[in-house]
Each structure stands twice: as C-alpha cells, then as structure tokens.
Amino acid sequence: KERPEVFELIRTVFNVDPDTHIDNLDASEQVVLDGTSKWSCKIQTTVVCAQGLIAKDKTGTSDPYVTVQVGKTKKRTKTVPQELNPEWNEKFSFECHNSSDRIKVRVWDEDNDLKARLRQKLTRESDDFLGQTIIEVRTLSGEMDVWYHLEKRSDRSSVSGSIRLQISVEIKGEEQVAPYHVQYTCLHENLFHYLCEKNGGEVSLPDAKGEESWKIYFEEPNEEIVDEFALRYGIESIYQAMTHFNCLSTKYLCPRVPASMSTLLANINAYYAHTTASTNVSASDRFAASNFGKERFIKLLDTLHNSLRIDLSMYRNNFPASSPEKLQDLKATVDLLTSITFFRMKVQELTSPPRASTVVKDCVK
C-alpha cells in the first residue's frame, strides 16, 4: 500500500489484472492470519562431503562426523577415520512444523581417549568441534546443492573448510509451487524482457558505479524488486549474476552489452576461482554445486562463444569503423571472449581452451 508503483509494475510485467491481484493479496493476508500452526514441510538433507577440515589429532588429521538437527530432532553420520576431506553421502529426513526453525549442521572430530571423557564430564561434549553452518528453513524450497563455509561457534573456535549439502524441501500445500530459484528466474527474466520491450528492443543498462556495480542489474524500482525477493527467499548473489548474464546473452549485440557481459562474467569467474586457504574447495567443485546448474551455464557459454565467432567473422558489417560506439563494442566483444577463456581455464579447469587471440585471428582471415 505504501509503494503502489511497485505493485503496478509487477502487475504490468506479468499481465495480472487488478481484481486478480487483490484476490491474491487477500489470500496472502489470510495465510498470515492463520499463523504458522498449519505450516509444515518435509526436509531431506544429504551430507555429501567436506574439504579442508582442521586437524585436531596428533597425527595431523581428524576423525570427522556430522550432526544435523532440525528442531529437537538430531541425527548423525558415520565417522570417517583420519581424513580432512571426508565423504559421507548420507541422507536424513525431517518433519518441520515451524518456518522459523533452522537446520543446524555441525562437524565434529570423534575422540575416545581419556582427555575426551574428562571433557565430556565438564562440558557434556566429548568430541572436538570442527565447524558449523546454520540454515534458515524459511529461505529454502525445492532442491539445492550447495557448498557452505564452516563457521565458528565462538571466538575461541578454530575451524576451516567447507561442507557440501544437498537439501530438498517440500512444503505442505505447496507441492506444485515452483522452487524459489525457479520463481526468481521467472521474475528476473520477465522483468528484463519487459524493460527491453519498453526500451524499443534495446537493453537499458543501469548507471551504476563502484566495486559492487556489477551486482546492479536494473534501475529502481526494478532492482529493488529482484533484490527483495532474493533477500527474502535466500537466492544467492551469484545466482542473480548468472541469471542476468543469461538474460544479457539474448541481447549481446545491443550497444554496451558486450562490455557489461564481460565485466559480469569476470566477477562470476572470480567468485568461483578465488578459493581461500580456509575453504580448500576447488573452483570446479564450487561450480558443480551451483544452483544455476553447471551444465546449463557451460552450454550457455559454448553457445555464446560460437555466436561471437560468427559475428566477429562479419566484423565489417557488425562493427563498422565509422561508428565509435561499435568499435567500443568490438573491443568489448574480444574482452568477452577472453573472459570465457579464463572461465574455462580457472573454473572448468580445462587444460587448453581456445585463446581469444587465436579465435579473433581465425575470424578475421
């Protein structure tokens, strides 16, 4: 009610008539009035593996296992002896009746010595803490496959590494509702194409500056809409970036778009490739766990790469020397090819992908 222009924009983008929109708002208000008493969901959590765990034993290793807790129900994996990069592949099922619940995933080093038994008497914990991740249930929907960085429990905790979880959530009464990531994709893509159509088929690029400008995809209030959805439903910023890159790829010949795509892909590359000593998760493993879909993004890059090669082979028509703007787009297109090459090397970890310079030489022969 305080932002009628936002609702008007959403109605226009999705072609929803005002009466239907009011009915949907009334239904939403009723859900809120009903409270959480009728809310429930089924959660399946698969503890896949971890990498880069801290060593707690004198042998320079640990004997890790994982506990997963939802509400008052706690379950645990088997122990993997003497391993800092363990694999479990164990699945657990939970019933959850409170949307404010959290999934608490904690990694432990199993100890059976005298020191451990003494610690159990003092702290009720016999095993060493290796790290945790806590996930809000309300941010989950559908199926997710994600690497989570292990966090400290207190300032005294000494942890490192990451854990890979596959989570499936089925909310009662919403079994046929698309997962939040699919809903976000629909919102972002429809908003993008609506704004392009409104702009005569051209892409309207936001006038954003600064280190974080690559995360700004639209002018306001459009950006506020996608960011609010992402924040409320746990959509990762990297998923937003990959979704927008996919949108831009449908308009890559529009003015200034190649430069925007090159910058966006360089930052996507940096997100996956710049691993730290505390996580020890390879770029390819992080990419494999992307909610956007590894194969989907690789196919997108391959298709784009082939299209750019064809367009560069006709550079005299597509990038006439008489147009300074087109010459800028030509340079940016070569930069985009370079970004694709770097992504293939650093993230996909291909040994010898085609270099941008080689591709350009082949195209202009």
Side-chain angles (χ1 to χ4, degrees):
K1 294 179 180 180
E2 296 177 358
R3 301 291 302 279
E5 71 278 8
V6 172
F7 290 104
E8 182 62 34
L9 174 61
I10 294 173
R11 282 201 298 266
T12 304
V13 170
F14 289 96
N15 196 27
V16 178
D17 66 84
D19 291 338
T20 301
H21 183 73
I22 291 172
D23 291 342
N24 290 338
L25 285 177
D26 291 341
S28 299
E29 288 179 5
Q30 188 59 49
V31 170
V32 174
L33 291 173
D34 288 341
T36 59
S37 60
K38 297 182 179 180
W39 188 94
S40 67
C41 75
K42 295 179 181 178
I43 300 173
Q44 283 193 336
T45 302
T46 301
V47 181
V48 182
C49 61
Q51 288 192 3
L53 298 180
I54 194 168
K56 289 287 187 177
D57 298 338
K58 294 179 180 179
T59 58
T61 62
S62 291
D63 305 314
Y65 68 92
V66 179
T67 60
V68 183
Q69 182 175 352
V70 178
K72 295 182 179 180
T73 305
K74 181 188 290 187
K75 301 182 180 181
R76 65 159 283 175
T77 68
K78 64 179 182 292
T79 299
V80 179
Q82 298 183 341
E83 184 60 67
L84 299 180
N85 301 300
E87 292 188 13
W88 294 282
N89 289 305
E90 294 189 43
K91 181 184 290 186
F92 306 108
S93 298
F94 300 89
E95 290 277 349
C96 179
H97 299 281
N98 191 337
S99 61
S100 63
D101 272 346
R102 299 183 294 175
I103 303 175
K104 300 176 182 177
V105 180
R106 295 190 170 106
V107 188
W108 305 88
D109 169 43
E110 186 173 275
D111 291 317
N112 293 309
D113 55 14
L114 179 62
K115 182 180 177 182
R117 289 195 290 272
L118 179 61
R119 188 192 308 119
Q120 185 175 30
K121 289 183 178 180
L122 296 174
T123 67
R124 297 184 181 180
E125 291 179 358
S126 61
D127 298 329
D128 291 317
F129 176 74
L130 298 181
Q132 68 178 5
T133 185
I134 298 178
I135 308 157
E136 300 287 342
V137 170
R138 65 176 181 78
T139 66
L140 302 174
S141 74
E143 298 180 351
M144 304 175 66
D145 185 342
V146 183
W147 280 98
Y148 290 96
H149 178 60
L150 291 173
E151 304 287 348
K152 294 182 177 182
R153 185 171 51 172
S154 68
D155 291 338
R156 294 180 297 172
S157 300
S158 179
V159 306
S160 72
S162 296
I163 187 167
R164 184 178 180 181
L165 304 174
Q166 294 173 344
I167 304 173
S168 173
V169 178
E170 184 179 285
I171 301 174
K172 183 179 179 181
E174 297 185 9
E175 291 84 359
Q176 303 302 316
V177 176
Y180 292 140
H181 284 80
V182 176
Q183 292 184 43
Y184 177 84
T185 300
C186 179
L187 172 63
H188 196 117
E189 289 181 349
N190 276 274
L191 194 56
F192 176 83
H193 291 296
Y194 165 77
L195 294 172
C196 288
E197 184 179 336
K198 188 178 177 182
N199 198 40
E202 301 288 326
V203 178
S204 179
L205 297 172
D207 185 21
K209 294 180 175 62
E211 290 185 2
E212 299 291 298
S213 61
W214 63 277
K215 295 181 180 179
I216 306 300
Y217 313 115
F218 306 110
E219 298 287 359
E220 297 295 356
N222 312 290
E223 183 68 26
E224 182 182 358
I225 292 172
V226 294
D227 285 346
E228 176 65 24
F229 188 100
L231 179 65
R232 183 164 299 196
Y233 296 109
I235 307 301
E236 309 87 346
S237 60
I238 192 64
Y239 186 92
Q240 289 184 270
M242 295 168 83
T243 300
H244 196 64
F245 186 85
N246 184 38
C247 289
L248 290 175
S249 69
T250 66
K251 296 283 188 178
Y252 71 91
L253 282 176
C254 290
R256 297 170 54 214
V257 169
S260 181
M261 293 183 71
S262 179
T263 300
L264 192 53
L265 184 57
N267 281 281
I268 294 171
N269 179 32
Y271 173 85
Y272 286 115
H274 290 183
T275 54
T276 64
S278 63
T279 61
N280 285 315
V281 181
S282 68
S284 60
D285 281 339
R286 295 182 72 192
F287 181 48
S290 164
N291 282 308
F292 187 88
K294 174 184 175 181
E295 298 303 325
R296 180 185 171 200
F297 198 73
I298 289 175
K299 183 178 179 180
L300 167 61
L301 290 184
D302 290 345
T303 302
L304 177 62
H305 192 272
N306 290 334
S307 298
L308 293 175
R309 292 183 64 165
I310 293 171
D311 292 323
L312 283 173
S313 67
M314 298 183 290
Y315 68 94
R316 288 186 176 87
N317 293 328
N318 293 325
F319 307 100
S322 58
S323 171
E325 292 81 8
K326 284 295 182 182
L327 289 179
Q328 282 295 108
D329 286 340
L330 174 60
K331 177 184 179 301
T333 299
V334 176
D335 291 341
L336 179 54
L337 280 173
T338 303
S339 294
I340 294 175
T341 300
F342 273 115
F343 191 90
R344 288 171 167 174
M345 290 174 58
K346 301 296 185 180
V347 180
Q348 293 180 243
E349 298 182 353
L350 303 182
T351 52
S352 55
R355 301 278 180 168
S357 57
T358 304
V359 172
V360 172
K361 287 178 183 178
D362 290 342
C363 290
V364 299
K365 283 182 180 178

